[in-house]
Amino acid sequence: METQKHFFAVDLGATSGRTILGTLQQGHIELEEVTRFPNNLIQMHGHFFWDIYALYNEVIRGLSEVARRGVSISSIGIDTWGVDFVFIGRDGQLLRNPMAYRDPITFDAMDDYLQHVVGRRDVYDVTGIQFLNFNSIFQLYAMRREQNAALATADKILFVPDALSWMLTGNAVCEYTIASTSQLLDPRTKQLDERLLQSLGLSRSSFGRMVQPGDMIGTLTAEVQQMTGLGPVPVYAVAGHDTGSAVAAVPAKDEHFAYLSSGTWSLMGIETRDAIINDTSYERNFTNEGGIEGTTRFLKNICGMWLYERCRKEWPDEVRQLSHPELQGSAMQVEAFRSLINPDDALFANPPSMIKAIQHYCRETGQPVPETPAEICRCIFDSLALRYRQVFRWLQEVATFDIDTLHIIGGGSLNKYLNQFTANSTGVSVLAGPQEGTALGNIMVQAKAAGAVSDIWHMRQIIADSIDLVRYEPQDKAQWDQAYDKYLRITRSKV
């Protein structure tokens, strides 16, 4: 008779974090949120930092709660957002809180590095990674350029999930999927590239040993055991990049799918065996990130609900107090496609006011300027769906298989309006769910390490059997075709 197994997932996003208990029994997986907490940016002296100590304390709090309940967990796994990292000193202590990827230190660093250190095409041909100014390579370059004291004295550089695992176990590792976001890793060799490291004054020894999802990192230290009331529970490397965990949880039946991990960021891509690095992927700035079981996530980052989240913070109290369905429902009552933006324009990276940035873009491109929350929300949703269509078409061009389904996973899978818009815009069936894709992928990798599941398709079958998917079929083709032509005209004129 199959026994019940419990797994503990730490899932940290750029705005909030959670600890989750996953229970696997008789081919079904159930999740329970143990704790939830904010992940706040700290602004100080012109820089933005993450509070790694607060995050560690929240992990301890979640583990302590599980121990208090008397639940016996098989293992622990941690996933977070990508690219950011922590410096560890030779004395085994953190050298400061990690700088956040939205810090302005990197705004000109990418162009400077690519012009004066290693050329753009050379970097892409090695890494196959999308050029984003906040990638780890450019963060490190900017820090080196500004003589960052922590970098100068660091013994180890650990990406955020690896840093938290180190805090729990004392063992320093470099997990493959999170390392792949750095633009320092060669997806062919699956190792950090020596030439790129040397260009930053670093070496392979600056990082922990390379591990793959499913590898054991270590067990909880005696100190953590005492603080939590747990025993020597093993900590496993999962897909440490949250998108890697989310894609592992796509409930697909076969390879004929694309995915959209929808949250603060939208990440749209396909799953391939090998990296796709060629002229087309370079020109369109696609990325090749590591997945589980040797897969590659060929995808593009799209500025997702960040636009909406930032606007919502700026609206008056009476608007913020509306539920998401209420606010988004009001947006459905205003004129469609009245104002469109390119969600990935640099203007929207981290403006002082997102509302003013959207209005400025529309004014600059000769469009009606959205004024009300409903008009702004409609502008964001219309524009995101049309940007999804553009990227989806690019994926269709490079895929070696037909794509007949788009799986939307993550928190955005609950957004029924944007999901329908996405089906309308792309012209394919959309399956929405699971919302908890990242936590499910995290837990399923732990379950595989425990021998409870066999491979990625077994994982996906269990997930599909355990959740309710919502299907959206394309509608209003002519209207969306016309809107897409308008979107292309507007975004090209802005460029």
Side-chain angles (χ1 to χ4, degrees):
M1 183 174 177
E2 185 178 5
T3 58
Q4 191 178 66
K5 288 186 178 295
H6 303 288
F7 305 96
F8 186 87
V10 179
D11 178 25
L12 302 180
T15 55
S16 65
R18 300 164 310 152
T19 62
I20 294 173
L21 187 65
T23 301
L24 182 63
Q25 186 177 29
Q26 295 181 342
H28 281 72
I29 182 75
E30 292 185 4
L31 300 186
E32 179 188 356
E33 187 176 286
V34 180
T35 59
R36 178 180 286 267
F37 45 90
N39 183 17
N40 296 314
L41 278 177
I42 302 168
Q43 185 174 2
M44 184 181 66
H45 298 167
H47 289 295
F48 291 88
F49 300 89
W50 301 113
D51 192 344
I52 194 74
Y53 297 102
L55 295 176
Y56 170 70
N57 197 49
E58 291 291 353
V59 175
I60 296 297
R61 183 167 73 92
L63 290 170
S64 299
E65 173 60 20
V66 166
R68 186 191 68 77
R69 297 182 189 180
V71 177
S72 176
I73 54 175
S74 298
S75 60
I76 299 162
I78 302 173
D79 68 77
T80 77
W81 68 97
V83 307
D84 288 343
F85 46 83
V86 175
F87 296 125
I88 310 298
R90 292 183 182 85
D91 61 352
Q93 297 297 319
L94 295 175
L95 292 177
R96 64 174 57 156
N97 268 324
M99 201 170 284
Y101 65 88
R102 294 196 185 274
D103 190 275
I105 192 174
T106 63
F107 284 178
D108 70 333
M110 180 174 76
D111 291 339
D112 190 17
Y113 177 92
L114 296 174
Q115 183 177 350
H116 298 109
V117 185
V118 181
R120 176 181 287 263
R121 189 59 194 260
D122 287 344
V123 173
Y124 189 82
D125 283 346
V126 169
T127 66
I129 291 293
Q130 177 180 5
F131 287 97
L132 296 165
N133 68 283
F134 51 68
N135 288 346
S136 313
I137 187 173
F138 306 124
Q139 289 196 50
L140 288 162
Y141 176 70
M143 293 175 183
R144 186 71 77 189
R145 188 177 59 178
E146 296 196 2
Q147 299 182 328
N148 181 285
L151 173 57
T153 57
D155 179 57
K156 284 286 185 290
I157 301 171
L158 302 181
F159 297 102
V160 172
D162 301 333
L164 288 164
S165 294
W166 168 80
M167 295 168 86
L168 292 177
T169 68
N171 295 332
V173 301
C174 181
E175 190 276 318
Y176 174 66
T177 70
I178 198 76
S180 73
T181 69
S182 67
Q183 209 163 24
L184 289 167
L185 185 139
D186 184 333
R188 303 170 193 86
T189 65
K190 294 182 167 46
Q191 294 294 327
L192 299 173
D193 183 74
E194 292 288 354
R195 178 190 174 194
L196 296 179
L197 292 175
Q198 289 170 9
S199 75
L200 302 169
L202 301 172
S203 67
R204 181 62 187 84
S205 63
S206 304
F207 297 81
R209 66 181 173 90
M210 187 67 70
V211 296
Q212 293 289 328
D215 289 349
M216 183 172 167
I217 297 172
T219 58
L220 296 180
T221 64
E223 177 184 52
V224 173
Q225 292 178 46
Q226 184 176 16
M227 286 191 293
T228 61
L230 294 171
V233 178
V235 177
Y236 278 91
V238 294
H241 186 212
D242 51 11
T243 311
S245 280
V247 172
V250 171
K253 295 180 179 179
D254 55 41
E255 66 176 7
H256 297 277
F257 72 94
Y259 56 82
L260 175 62
S261 180
S262 179
T264 302
W265 281 96
S266 291
L267 301 108
M268 181 180 279
I270 55 177
E271 189 173 74
T272 64
R273 176 54 53 184
D274 300 313
I276 301 172
I277 303 175
N278 55 34
D279 291 344
T280 301
S281 68
Y282 170 72
E283 289 162 6
R284 291 174 175 168
N285 207 16
F286 272 86
T287 203
N288 291 269
E289 294 176 353
I292 72 168
E293 297 186 8
T295 57
T296 295
R297 292 176 287 121
F298 182 75
L299 61 89
K300 190 167 180 65
N301 287 40
I302 303 168
C303 187
M305 295 303 286
W306 164 252
L307 300 161
Y308 172 80
E309 291 163 1
R310 281 289 304 271
C311 288
R312 189 176 172 86
K313 286 185 177 181
E314 295 181 48
W315 284 320
D317 287 345
E318 60 266 25
V319 177
R320 289 203 306 271
Q321 288 168 3
L322 296 173
S323 69
H324 292 295
E326 286 174 327
L327 175 57
Q328 294 164 14
S330 70
M332 299 305 109
Q333 306 306 311
V334 304
E335 182 184 348
F337 314 120
R338 178 173 179 265
S339 310
L340 300 173
I341 61 173
N342 175 4
D344 292 324
D345 191 278
L347 192 64
F348 307 124
N350 194 13
S353 167
M354 186 64 77
I355 292 173
K356 289 180 180 177
I358 290 172
Q359 292 172 332
H360 175 74
Y361 185 104
C362 294
R363 196 175 295 114
E364 260 199 342
T365 51
Q367 301 181 83
V369 177
E371 299 289 349
T372 67
E375 289 173 344
I376 292 170
C377 182
R378 186 60 186 255
C379 170
I380 291 170
F381 282 19
D382 286 348
S383 301
L384 279 173
L386 291 165
R387 177 60 165 165
Y388 294 160
R389 174 174 178 153
Q390 185 175 39
V391 175
F392 185 79
R393 286 192 165 188
W394 291 342
L395 290 169
Q396 287 177 309
E397 291 176 18
V398 301
T400 58
F401 49 86
D402 293 333
I403 304 173
D404 55 28
T405 306
L406 176 64
H407 284 271
I408 299 181
I409 54 178
S413 67
L414 298 178
N415 190 326
K416 64 180 182 179
Y417 299 113
L418 186 54
N419 292 343
Q420 185 62 61
F421 283 8
T422 302
N424 297 350
S425 186
T426 60
V428 297
S429 300
V430 164
L431 285 175
Q435 175 193 358
E436 303 290 356
T438 303
L440 281 167
N442 178 325
I443 287 164
M444 279 301 182
V445 171
Q446 295 184 60
K448 183 187 174 188
V453 299
S454 56
D455 61 16
I456 190 170
W457 296 108
H458 190 192
M459 294 179 194
R460 287 171 169 163
Q461 183 61 56
I462 290 173
I463 292 169
D465 290 343
S466 303
I467 63 170
D468 294 322
L469 297 175
V470 181
R471 180 179 291 272
Y472 298 84
E473 295 297 347
Q475 301 171 1
D476 306 323
K477 182 180 186 301
Q479 183 183 10
W480 280 89
D481 287 347
Q482 186 177 4
Y484 185 59
D485 290 339
K486 177 181 178 180
Y487 169 83
L488 292 177
R489 287 196 306 272
I490 288 167
T491 56
R492 284 169 181 163
S493 69
K494 179 65 166 60
V495 172

